[in-house]
Amino acid sequence: PGFPSIAQRPAGIATMLAAGVVAWLPFLLSFDAPVRAADNGFTDAIADVPAVGTVVSSIGAYTGERTSILDYLSIFGFFYPVLVATILVALRPPAQGTGALVNRLAVVTGILFAAIGLLLPAPLLIVVGLPMIAGLVVVLRATNVTLELVAVGLATIAFGLTLIPEFFYLLDAFGTRMNTIFKLYLQVWLISGVATTLGLVYLWQRVRSLLAGRMLVALAAATIVLAGLTYPVVAASQWLPFKNPDRNWEGVAGLAWLEESGSADPATLDALRWLWENGTNDDVLLAAGGCSYRAPIGMPAAASGVPAIIGDDTHQRQWHLGTDWINPEIERRVADVNALFEQPTDELLDEYGVTLIYVGRPETNGLDGVEPSASCAPGPFDNASSPDFPGDGWTEVFSEDGIRILRRNTGE
């Protein structure tokens, strides 16, 4: 009693979606997503619509090779048989004279999915799309909220989300559907796990009078659990010999790892600890910068959280989507790092708000195999080795074995 009719449900779904958008408005209105708009008239027209314009205009059509059945089952094979069985068991013939329109639409849509899936080819339209349509039929026929409805509803949502990256993806920095699949599949995995658990309970209830049925459901549950437990064993056995053959359990503390792995000398470690303990939210570092994926150059900022003038230049390009202004900005900042180590002028220091200068191994010795470029200031900087650098207006706050940290005198 009181359960919405089929005609009322679209309005209810629309209301729920609108409520979700309103709840997230503070985030949606302020978040600058690293995506770019598709180049067509429609996206140009909606790009400035608040909250949803940026997202909708950054959705691209995917026309490449689709996911194979084997690839899909290698990820969701634990769940798929149970979810399909749950939907099929729940897909009972409707009461006479009810759901005729739903049935006809389901048949037509199913035929369309099968035809497109074979022609493209897009096998998931058949393997995932047909169970999704059947699940929608169950949901639309429901007259009250039951375990069956929740299990089937979640399974249907999981199948629907899986189909999205087969045809659409967000136009991010990579220009591929990789991140769209990654983010959606994570949600699908979680939803499928819950739906499978509820589905097993539902199937057990439906077959509990049949010994063979109970044995089959119990076997399915045990297989999923035991097979799932193999992953951490297999993954650990494969990963550890590659990443940590000596089985030195170093934890996730970065500074501790630098010490235990010997990846930094004692003076560098002490300097990084000083930055960690004494750096503030208002500090900015002058240090070697750019030079993508060169750990010693990024250590001071990474180990302390104190920002430097320029960090990993590749990531800057990536998450600014290679926009026209980002390359000149990277090159300008690299040039300014070089200039400041040559002569730290108040004008440039003030522009970046520099309060600390880090003179470490790269700054005085450079880095083997790394040459200066327009996007890389690796050192050595000639003046950095001088005991008189950087001149008046600075206080040496750390010094050990040739590594120095200097703080700018603010006059406070």
Side-chain angles (χ1 to χ4, degrees):
F3 199 74
S5 66
I6 291 178
Q8 294 172 322
R9 290 174 202 178
I13 294 173
T15 301
M16 179 184 67
L17 292 174
V21 170
V22 170
W24 279 87
L25 270 180
F27 173 78
L28 295 173
L29 292 174
S30 60
F31 180 58
D32 185 13
V35 294
R36 56 175 171 266
D39 187 14
N40 57 60
F42 172 74
T43 56
D44 291 342
I46 66 168
D48 295 329
V49 176
V52 297
T54 301
V55 174
V56 175
S57 64
S58 62
I59 296 174
Y62 179 72
T63 58
E65 182 181 0
R66 266 78 183 189
T67 306
S68 70
I69 295 174
L70 182 60
D71 287 338
Y72 171 78
L73 292 179
S74 69
I75 299 174
F76 300 112
F78 289 120
F79 310 127
Y80 182 76
V82 175
L83 299 182
V84 171
T86 300
I87 291 173
L88 292 178
V89 170
L91 191 64
R92 296 181 294 274
Q96 187 173 3
T98 63
L101 177 60
V102 171
N103 297 337
R104 286 196 293 270
L105 287 174
V107 171
V108 172
T109 307
I111 294 173
L112 186 63
F113 272 31
I116 296 174
L118 291 171
L119 290 173
L120 281 178
L124 291 198
L125 263 183
I126 300 172
V127 174
V128 173
L130 297 184
M132 180 193 72
I133 294 170
L136 284 171
V137 172
V138 174
V139 171
L140 291 173
R141 286 177 181 173
T143 57
N144 55 4
V145 178
T146 61
L147 173 62
E148 171 189 290
L149 176 62
V150 175
V152 171
L154 290 175
T156 303
I157 291 171
F159 287 148
L161 290 176
T162 306
L163 284 179
I164 291 175
E166 296 302 298
F167 301 96
F168 303 99
Y169 69 104
L170 283 176
L171 300 169
D172 63 5
F174 300 101
T176 70
R177 64 172 184 157
M178 173 188 66
N179 266 334
T180 304
I181 286 182
F182 170 48
K183 300 300 190 294
L184 282 174
Y185 274 25
L186 174 61
Q187 310 306 317
V188 171
W189 179 272
L190 297 173
I191 295 171
S192 296
V194 176
T196 298
T197 303
L198 298 177
L200 286 169
V201 175
Y202 167 69
L203 292 173
W204 178 271
Q205 292 179 349
R206 290 297 304 274
V207 301
R208 59 186 172 188
S209 60
L210 302 173
L211 177 60
R214 295 201 304 272
M215 291 179 63
L216 185 60
V217 173
L219 179 62
T223 300
I224 291 172
V225 172
L226 293 176
L229 290 175
T230 64
Y231 174 78
V233 176
V234 173
S237 66
Q238 291 178 342
W239 184 250
L240 284 175
F242 167 69
K243 201 66 178 171
N244 192 1
D246 296 328
R247 301 297 198 272
N248 295 324
W249 299 101
E250 295 161 344
V252 294
L255 289 174
W257 179 82
L258 287 175
E259 179 178 10
E260 294 176 20
S261 66
S263 296
D265 60 88
T268 296
L269 280 169
D270 289 342
L272 297 179
R273 288 196 179 94
W274 187 95
L275 283 173
W276 172 261
E277 294 170 358
N278 296 279
T280 70
N281 292 335
D282 297 323
D283 283 323
V284 175
L285 276 171
L286 169 60
C291 314
S292 179
Y293 295 109
R294 302 294 180 176
I297 293 177
M299 276 183 186
S304 65
V306 178
I309 292 176
I310 178 68
D312 186 327
D313 57 288
T314 296
H315 281 175
Q316 290 295 329
R317 292 187 185 91
Q318 175 179 319
W319 297 117
H320 287 93
L321 299 173
T323 48
D324 294 340
W325 64 269
I326 190 62
N327 285 334
E329 178 65 16
I330 290 172
E331 293 176 5
R332 183 179 75 86
R333 286 177 177 247
V334 167
D336 287 345
V337 168
N338 287 314
L340 283 167
F341 273 107
E342 179 68 24
Q343 179 61 49
T345 64
D346 289 340
E347 181 181 1
L348 267 182
L349 292 169
D350 291 342
E351 179 179 346
Y352 294 106
V354 173
T355 57
L356 295 168
I357 297 179
Y358 180 88
V359 181
R361 304 301 182 209
E363 288 75 12
T364 56
N365 303 327
L367 200 63
D368 289 343
V370 182
E371 297 296 329
S373 70
S375 60
C376 177
F381 306 108
D382 293 338
N383 289 344
S385 299
S386 170
D388 297 327
F389 178 83
D392 296 335
W394 295 84
T395 300
E396 187 175 85
V397 291
F398 177 90
S399 179
E400 180 181 336
D401 193 21
I403 295 181
R404 306 164 65 211
I405 300 175
L406 303 109
R407 180 175 288 281
R408 191 179 184 188
N409 299 333
T410 61
E412 295 179 359

